[in-house]
């Protein structure tokens, strides 16, 4: 591709679509035309990928996830196609700034946080490793929500990311399928004496797929992310005559995670889960049959991955199709299903494992519930001769009036994996210990990873350019080659270049903060960053307690030798999670207090950036000095922000939780700052039940002053919120041991400050973190999934990566 060819194609597309010239076109018209040109460039590779996989009869994986969080795709596609510099330079010659066009693109609002971003990193890596793998999810009209702060409170607004359409998607009406739910079902013998389901009064959804190309890194591989949208089938049009009825129908794929604090919200969420599971499984079966392969061989050509419990109905839906439609025996259908399915668990907390009331499943998916009942009955019968009754009762799918979706996923698949070594060990020893006793061979670990293409090559081009100059460019294809940077940890010229890129990124973020919030921050301060979903176990509150400690020290002595800090937060709280929203309110009101207190001479600033998403992360992460990974040990399954911040040279302050342990093992104790209870100590407290937060409070004047600030008016405008925070720690005994870890955290923060003052030492630690971050590339993670779980191989006949 030459500049001349691109310019010609771009001008022609702009003229065809908008009858306009570059000089007269709006940024929106320019972006839309550019996206169409880029999609046209990879369309042949997309078709060739599908054709090659089909002709080779290659086994494919299908990654089912209720969340995907791709972020903006323009620069990612250009990078992976090897066109980023050509297009940027060509546009510049036409007086068009590529960055201005990037601002036009909306983040695809298809996820909440780590779960969805991981799925998108995997999609990038699966294609970049030349593996035949596809995504399956929901095309949300509004996604989660757009977060705004009003008087310090989180307010949820619709995220209208599809208002101008999505240039990357292709509507595939010919691939639509019908999804039936509700009504009643009973079994009736057919002429051959087989029991067949008979349905009455079912509702029908038309599931229409929108396909997005997942472009591999310079290897001519383009996989497919298939997202399903709900429409009214033509033969059902007469049932939905009013605007209200049609709106209710469309609401099914409106938002991610409907508010489950009420019955209607939970009902919609269950229908959502079945909708994308059924549509995806039907689509896979249809493709398999079209290829002319016997149904008994399905597992030899198809791997279906259940990402968390939301798609767990894959197990029962596969059984329904194989038994009811393909007329296989239960035994054959079950063998195929188990061999086809695999499951990733993403939580250590048992209360977070999804469960549905029996009555709701009977109402929404009556045939699916019948199949789950039979799976449960056969499981109990099979295990009765293997283990004692207590274990069976703890592991069965239906217990009382609840259906346990994780149990369905584990029993109905051949693999269950955790996402960090500690997490996987805890699943085996505690959370899913009974299942580990039953199926030890099914349990394995696959530590999460990140796509360094997005989080370094795109998000941090200044650093990427320094790496190219220093260690050449092989790291772009082989992330472990970042380790070559270790040869320069004592090279002051390289250290200085790295420090200059960090400051450049901090200046960029400081300018954004000023424009977005009106808060002026100094790029010479320590940028201390905590960006992740707002949840009590992630302990944003512990971060706030430390900030208040520093604030009170400065109030007592404005000349205290405290290195200037900017504390940066980015997080959304679930709409129904009142406690988390109250933490946001308290942080914002503390920010108003501290940021406007002239006595402390600007040494402390708090910035809580609205509507945290992938694009915002791409700006924050390269500018971060400190990476806050302070969840209570044993609660974070893995974490991926820890990996992203590490890659971009931030120094981690962390508990020994999730993948923090593996980061420590790789960079060494001296290049990470660890504090707090260990997992063993946390579980020891659970066993002894002798933790008393009130005793810590009563015997600690420093903590008294800090905690009292929530209820005595020191922090204004938080009378209700502050009382709830205070009560959660003192009255309800501090569930996540925030006070127990407080002083250890304070000492760790002092270590951070001491290290930062030693500029060379800090730069060396930063370099070491970047150099060792290749270990956490999602390329390597998906290769392990491919080899050890999915049994898929790189597609032959396409250009090789690297």
């Amino acid at each position: 591709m030459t500049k001349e060819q691109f310019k010609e194609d771009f001008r022609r597309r702009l003229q065809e679509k908008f009858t306009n010239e570059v000089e007269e076109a709006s940024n929106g018209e320019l972006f839309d035309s550019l996206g169409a040109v880029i999609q046209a460039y990879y369309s042949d590779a997309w078709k060739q990928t599908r054709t090659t996989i089909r002709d080779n009869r290659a086994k494919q994986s299908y990654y089912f996830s209720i969340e995907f969080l791709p972020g903006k795709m323009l620069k990612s596609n250009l990078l992976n196609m090897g066109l980023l510099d050509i297009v940027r330079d060509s546009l510049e010659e036409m007086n068009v700034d590529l960055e201005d066009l990037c601002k036009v693109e909306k983040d695809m609002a298809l996820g909440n946080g780590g779960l969805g971003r991981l799925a998108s990193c995997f999609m990038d890596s699966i294609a970049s490793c030349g593996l035949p793998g596809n995504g399956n999810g929901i095309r949300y009209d509004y996604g989660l929500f757009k977060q705004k702060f009003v008087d310090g409170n989180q307010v949820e607004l619709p995220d209208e990311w599809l208002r101008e359409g999505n240039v990357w998607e292709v509507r595939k009406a010919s691939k639509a399928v019908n999804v039936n739910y509700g009504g009643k079902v009973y079994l009736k013998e057919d002429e051959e004496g087989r029991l067949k389901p008979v349905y009455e009064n079912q509702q029908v959804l038309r599931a229409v797929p929108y396909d997005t190309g997942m472009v591999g890194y310079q290897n001519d591989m383009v996989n497919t992310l298939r997202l399903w949208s709900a429409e009214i089938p033509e033969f059902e049009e007469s049932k939905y005559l009013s605007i209200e009825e049609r709106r209710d129908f469309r609401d099914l794929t409106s938002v991610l995670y409907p508010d489950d604090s009420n019955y209607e919200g939970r009902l919609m969420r269950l229908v959502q889960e079945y909708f994308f599971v059924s549509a995806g499984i039907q689509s896979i079966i249809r493709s398999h049959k079209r290829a002319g392969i016997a149904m008994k061989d399905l597992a030899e050509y198809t791997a279906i991955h259940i990402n968390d419990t939301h798609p767990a109905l894959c197990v029962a839906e596969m059984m329904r199709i194989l038994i009811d439609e393909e007329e296989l025996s239960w035994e054959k259908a079950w063998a195929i299903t188990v061999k086809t399915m695999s499951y990733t668990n993403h939580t250590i907390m048992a209360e977070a494992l999804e469960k549905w009331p029996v009555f709701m499943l009977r109402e929404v998916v009556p045939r699916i519930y019948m199949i789950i009942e039979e799976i449960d009955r056969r499981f109990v019968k099979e295990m009765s001769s293997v283990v004692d009754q207590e274990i069976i009762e703890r592991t069965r799918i239906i217990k009382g009036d609840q259906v346990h979706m994780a149990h369905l996923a584990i029993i109905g698949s051949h693999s269950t994996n955790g996402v960090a070594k500690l997490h996987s060990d805890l699943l085996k020893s505690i959370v899913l210990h009974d299942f580990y006793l039953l199926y030890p061979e099914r349990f394995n670990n696959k530590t999460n990873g990140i796509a360094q293409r997005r989080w370094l090559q795109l998000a941090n081009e200044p650093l990427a350019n320094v790496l190219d100059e220093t260690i050449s460019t092989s790291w772009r294809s082989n992330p472990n080659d970042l380790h070559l940077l270790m040869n320069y940890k004592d090279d002051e010229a390289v250290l200085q270049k790295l420090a200059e890129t960090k400051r450049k990124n901090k200046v960029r973020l400081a300018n954004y903060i000023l424009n977005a919030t009106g808060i002026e921050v100094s790029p010479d301060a320590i940028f201390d960053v905590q960006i992740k979903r707002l949840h009590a176990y992630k302990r944003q509150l512990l971060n706030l307690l430390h900030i208040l400690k520093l604030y009170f020290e400065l109030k007592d002595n404005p000349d205290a030798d405290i290195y200037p800090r900017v504390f940066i937060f980015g997080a959304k709280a679930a709409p129904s999670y009142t406690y988390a929203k109250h933490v946001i309110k308290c942080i914002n009101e503390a920010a108003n207090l501290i940021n406007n207190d002239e006595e402390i001479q600007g040494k402390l600033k708090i910035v809580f950036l609205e509507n945290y998403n992938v694009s915002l992360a791409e700006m924050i992460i390269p500018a971060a000095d400190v990476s806050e990974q302070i969840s209570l040990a044993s609660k974070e399954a893995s974490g991926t922000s820890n990996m992203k911040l590490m890659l971009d040279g931030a120094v981690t302050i962390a508990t020994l939780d999730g993948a923090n342990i593996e980061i420590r093992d790789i960079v060494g104790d001296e290049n990470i700052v660890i504090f707090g209870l260990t997992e063993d100590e946390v579980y020891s407290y659970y066993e002894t039940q002798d933790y008393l937060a009130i005793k810590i409070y009563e015997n600690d004047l420093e903590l008294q002053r800090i905690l009292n600030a929530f209820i005595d008016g020191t922090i204004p405008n938080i009378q209700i919120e502050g009382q709830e925070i205070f009560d959660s720690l003192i009255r309800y005994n501090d569930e996540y041991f925030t006070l127990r870890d407080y002083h250890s955290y304070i000492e760790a923060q002092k270590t951070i400050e001491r290290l930062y003052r030693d500029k060379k030492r800090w730069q060396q630690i930063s370099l070491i973190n970047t150099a060792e971050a290749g270990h956490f590339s999602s390329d390597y993670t998906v290769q392990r999934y491919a080899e050890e779980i999915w049994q898929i191989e790189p597609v032959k006949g396409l250009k090789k990566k690297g």
Side-chain angles (χ1 to χ4, degrees), residues 62-66 68 123 134-138 224-228 276-277 279-281 283-284:
Y62 296 87
Y63 198 80
F64 278 63
S65 180
I66 205 163
F68 289 92
M123 288 297 99
N134 310 280
N136 191 85
I138 297 177
T224 299
L225 170 61
R226 174 160 287 183
L227 303 173
W228 298 94
F276 92 95
V277 160
I281 298 288
S283 178
I284 291 167

Side-chain angles (χ1 to χ4, degrees), residues 779-795:
D779 290 4
Y780 303 137
T781 308
V782 300
Q783 286 170 354
R784 289 189 284 270
Y785 274 90
E787 293 168 7
E788 299 168 22
I789 298 178
W790 302 332
Q791 283 84 50
I792 60 174
E793 297 179 349
V795 177

Side-chain angles (χ1 to χ4, degrees), residues 159-360:
D159 188 349
E160 298 181 290
W161 74 283
L162 279 171
R163 178 188 293 175
E164 306 298 329
N166 177 8
V167 69
W168 308 115
E169 67 184 12
V170 179
R171 186 175 188 269
K172 293 289 188 72
S174 64
K175 306 293 185 183
V177 298
N178 289 337
V179 175
N180 303 313
Y181 72 100
K184 294 182 179 180
V185 62
Y186 60 91
L187 298 179
K188 183 179 180 180
E189 283 192 6
D190 63 12
E191 295 176 355
E192 298 177 0
R194 290 173 56 97
L195 289 175
K196 302 286 287 185
V198 178
Y199 299 94
E200 294 178 352
N201 301 319
Q202 281 198 300
Q203 292 180 267
V204 185
L205 299 167
R206 189 67 171 163
V208 180
Y210 288 72
D211 289 355
T212 300
M214 296 288 104
V215 180
Y217 183 64
Q218 300 180 19
N219 65 356
D220 286 347
M221 184 86 175
V222 184
N223 286 327
T224 299
L225 170 61
R226 174 160 287 183
L227 303 173
W228 298 94
S229 185
E231 297 183 6
I232 301 172
E234 288 185 12
F235 63 86
E236 294 276 280
E237 289 278 354
S238 61
K239 291 185 180 180
Y240 305 94
L241 298 178
S242 72
I243 293 175
E244 290 75 16
E245 288 174 322
R246 288 174 175 267
R247 184 179 294 119
D248 289 344
F249 195 96
R250 289 291 305 172
D251 279 349
L252 177 66
T253 51
S254 296
V255 297
L256 170 68
Y257 301 139
D259 184 354
D260 60 2
S261 63
N262 58 63
Y263 176 76
E264 289 74 18
R266 284 180 58 76
L267 187 69
M268 183 178 291
R269 183 161 168 173
L270 179 56
V271 176
Q272 274 188 345
E273 291 184 5
Y274 182 65
F275 169 75
F276 92 95
V277 160
S278 179
I281 298 288
Q282 288 187 63
S283 178
I284 291 167
I285 295 292
R286 183 169 59 183
S287 296
H288 182 79
K289 293 173 73 173
R290 188 178 295 119
I293 303 170
M295 196 56 60
K296 66 181 178 63
D297 297 324
L298 178 67
E300 304 304 319
Y301 296 90
T302 301
I304 294 174
H305 200 81
I306 300 169
N307 188 37
D308 214 357
T309 53
H310 315 107
L313 289 174
C314 279
V315 174
E317 176 67 2
M318 178 67 81
M319 288 296 291
R320 182 192 69 79
I321 293 174
L322 294 180
I323 293 169
D324 294 351
E325 299 181 8
E326 301 303 319
E327 299 187 342
L328 271 62
S329 69
W330 180 279
E331 291 75 17
K332 289 181 180 178
W334 185 246
I336 292 168
T337 298
V338 171
K339 193 174 181 181
T340 303
M341 301 290 166
S342 53
Y343 162 60
T344 293
N345 174 284
H346 282 278
T347 184
I348 289 168
M349 296 186 288
E351 64 271 20
L353 295 173
E354 196 173 34
K355 296 177 281 289
W356 289 104
V358 164
F359 77 88
M360 196 173 280

Side-chain angles (χ1 to χ4, degrees), residues 456-470:
L456 178 50
Q457 294 189 45
L458 290 176
N460 199 345
E461 289 194 55
L463 176 56
N465 292 335
V466 170
L467 292 174
D468 287 347
E469 296 168 5
T470 307

Side-chain angles (χ1 to χ4, degrees), residues 471-523:
I471 61 173
S472 193
T473 60
S474 65
W475 65 273
R476 290 180 178 265
S477 296
N478 301 294
N480 271 340
D481 283 357
L482 285 169
H483 188 74
L484 296 170
L485 193 60
M486 290 294 288
N487 295 323
Y488 299 89
K489 67 179 185 295
D490 297 315
D491 188 319
E492 294 195 6
V494 171
L495 292 175
Q496 182 58 34
K497 285 182 182 179
L498 294 175
E500 289 169 0
T501 67
K502 179 64 71 174
R503 194 177 194 286
K504 183 176 182 179
N505 290 322
K506 291 171 74 173
V507 168
R508 180 180 69 153
L509 179 59
N511 290 334
Y512 175 85
I513 289 171
L514 181 61
N515 292 330
T517 69
I519 300 170
E520 186 173 354
V521 300
S522 169

